[in-house]
């Protein structure tokens, strides 16, 4: 049995970028996300001691979801230029550290990550998802957990595991009902409108009384509060579309455990050269110590 860290690349990159403002190398190139990235990953590896780490990035929009809902994520602001400049270097840094970088055109990284997590779990391995994205709560089980970042106002809490019991405590429903829950309340971050007026409390109440979204739709004539009955009947297509949009696609090609492990060798020379080029002197000093026993790979 192995333990894997599966990192939601853009989720962590944004966090690092905003957590460490205005760091640059001598020529003015931004490096704040790079500094936060290497520190965060080292901290996570020290804490969890995984057998391997995979990082997942988006290369473009989710073609399947955009075909269903052209306004999917349309409201999101453009990535800050200073962060966009660092993304290719984040990938270079990750590979030099011995992390596998996974990305695929037209396929959302959330789906790639989720499919890989489930594949590892089915093979008997443990998967820890490094992300604050609530969509991943739908695949949490005995072998899959989420590592939530420290709260903005209380960094001392550190990275915290969210297991199935934690999902119920956080959302009020088990992992098996998270997609139904999100279909009802919507997801503003993805531009998915929920049923108007239905908030978390109402959604949880309905899901505790019924097995899922289809059962709630079937109970539209008797649902309480009564004011939602007409809305439920009128928006069945919207709710079913929402469910498709929020449900993670687990039927994607994945790496088997043996192949994933082949991509986990750090290259000390490449890493030290990269950190030198980026003016990351403190990180370079730590890397020299951390990888002092690493055989050079050429």
């Amino acid at each position: 049995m192995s333990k894997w860290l599966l990192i939601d690349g853009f989720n962590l990159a944004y966090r690092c970028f905003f957590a460490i403002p205005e760091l640059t190398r001598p020529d003015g190139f931004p490096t704040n996300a790079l500094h936060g990235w290497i520190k965060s990953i080292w901290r996570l590896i020290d804490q969890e001691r995984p057998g391997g780490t995979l990082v997942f990035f988006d290369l473009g929009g989710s073609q399947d979801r955009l075909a269903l809902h052209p306004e999917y994520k349309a409201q999101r602001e453009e990535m800050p230029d200073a962060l966009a400049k660092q993304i290719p270097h984040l990938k270079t840094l990750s590979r030099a550290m011995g992390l596998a970088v996974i990305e695929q055109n037209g396929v959302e990284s959330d789906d790639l990550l989720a499919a890989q997590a489930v594949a590892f779990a089915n093979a008997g391995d443990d998967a820890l998802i490094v992300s604050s994205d609530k969509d991943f709560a739908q695949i949490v089980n005995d072998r899959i957990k989420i590592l939530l970042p420290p709260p903005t106002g209380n960094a001392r809490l550190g990275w915290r595991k969210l297991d199935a019991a934690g999902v119920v405590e956080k959302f009020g429903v088990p992992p098996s009902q998270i997609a139904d829950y999100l279909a009802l309340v919507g997801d503003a971050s993805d531009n998915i409108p929920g049923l108007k007026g239905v908030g978390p409390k109402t959604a949880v109440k309905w899901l505790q009384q019924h097995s899922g979204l289809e059962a709630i739709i079937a109970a539209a004539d008797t649902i309480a509060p009564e004011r939602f009955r007409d809305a439920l009947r009128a928006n069945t297509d919207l709710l079913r579309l929402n469910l498709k949009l929020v449900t993670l696609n687990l039927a994607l090609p994945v790496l088997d455990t043996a192949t994933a492990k082949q991509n986990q060798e750090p290259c000390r020379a490449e890493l030290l050269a990269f950190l030198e080029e980026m003016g990351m002197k403190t990180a370079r000093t730590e890397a020299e110590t951390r990888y002092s026993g690493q055989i050079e790979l050429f």
Side-chain angles (χ1 to χ4, degrees):
M1 183 183 73
S2 296
K3 181 197 290 187
W4 296 89
L5 280 181
L6 306 182
I7 297 175
D8 181 351
F10 279 126
N11 192 279
L12 182 59
Y14 267 91
R15 176 178 175 79
C16 294
F17 177 77
F18 287 108
I20 306 177
E22 298 181 4
L23 273 182
T24 63
R25 69 184 179 191
D27 66 356
F29 187 87
T31 59
N32 55 332
L34 292 164
H35 278 276
W37 185 267
I38 196 167
K39 289 179 181 178
S40 295
I41 291 176
W42 277 341
R43 186 176 298 117
L44 287 164
I45 288 174
D46 289 345
Q47 175 180 314
E48 299 299 335
R49 301 293 180 185
T53 302
L54 282 66
V55 186
F56 297 80
F57 281 102
D58 281 322
L59 283 180
S62 170
Q63 297 305 310
D64 291 344
R65 291 186 177 87
L66 287 169
L68 292 170
H69 181 44
E71 297 305 309
Y72 180 68
K73 293 189 177 181
Q75 87 296 352
R76 291 194 176 184
E77 296 181 1
E78 290 292 321
M79 180 183 293
D81 184 60
L83 176 55
K85 289 178 179 178
Q86 295 178 73
I87 294 298
H89 298 286
L90 286 173
K91 297 176 184 179
T92 298
L93 173 58
S94 298
R95 293 186 179 103
M97 294 172 70
L99 317 181
V101 175
I102 311 296
E103 49 193 359
Q104 183 177 332
N105 276 310
V107 179
E108 206 160 350
S109 61
D110 287 2
D111 293 320
L112 290 171
L113 191 158
Q116 188 67 64
V118 170
F120 281 147
N122 289 341
D125 292 344
D126 291 329
L128 294 174
I129 299 172
V130 179
S131 181
S132 60
D133 192 330
K134 55 184 172 291
D135 289 350
F136 291 121
Q138 64 191 270
I139 61 167
V140 169
N141 59 30
D142 289 344
R143 294 209 173 275
I144 301 173
K145 297 178 179 64
I146 299 172
L147 271 174
L148 296 173
T152 303
N154 192 357
R156 292 183 179 181
L157 284 180
W159 293 81
R160 300 148 297 144
K161 288 189 180 74
L162 187 73
D163 58 11
V167 170
V168 174
E169 182 179 354
K170 184 177 177 67
F171 295 100
V173 297
S176 61
Q177 290 185 321
I178 286 292
D180 302 278
Y181 169 86
L182 293 174
L184 287 165
V185 302
D187 189 344
S189 66
D190 289 342
N191 205 29
I192 299 174
L195 189 65
K196 188 175 181 180
V198 173
K201 290 183 179 179
T202 300
V204 168
K205 177 183 175 182
W206 290 351
L207 288 167
Q208 289 174 342
Q209 295 171 342
H210 306 280
S211 59
L213 182 64
E214 284 300 328
I216 291 170
I217 290 172
D221 291 341
T222 58
I223 205 81
E226 187 176 345
R227 67 180 183 277
F228 288 116
R229 293 176 184 176
D230 287 342
L232 264 175
R233 287 189 287 260
N235 289 280
T236 54
D237 289 343
L238 169 70
L239 292 171
R240 287 172 175 145
L241 172 62
N242 284 358
L243 186 60
K244 291 180 181 179
L245 293 172
V246 302
T247 300
L248 293 166
N249 180 6
L250 305 179
L252 294 171
V254 296
L255 299 177
D256 60 40
T257 300
T259 302
K261 286 182 176 178
Q262 292 173 3
N263 300 319
Q264 297 294 317
E265 288 293 336
C267 179
R268 183 174 185 269
E270 182 181 336
L271 176 58
L272 295 180
F274 176 87
L275 297 173
E276 182 72 25
E277 177 189 353
M278 289 296 161
M280 299 170 65
K281 295 180 180 179
T282 302
R284 190 186 190 283
T285 299
E286 182 170 349
E288 286 179 330
T289 301
R290 280 180 174 268
Y291 304 102
S292 59
Q294 174 63 34
I295 298 173
E296 303 292 358
L297 302 175
F298 298 100

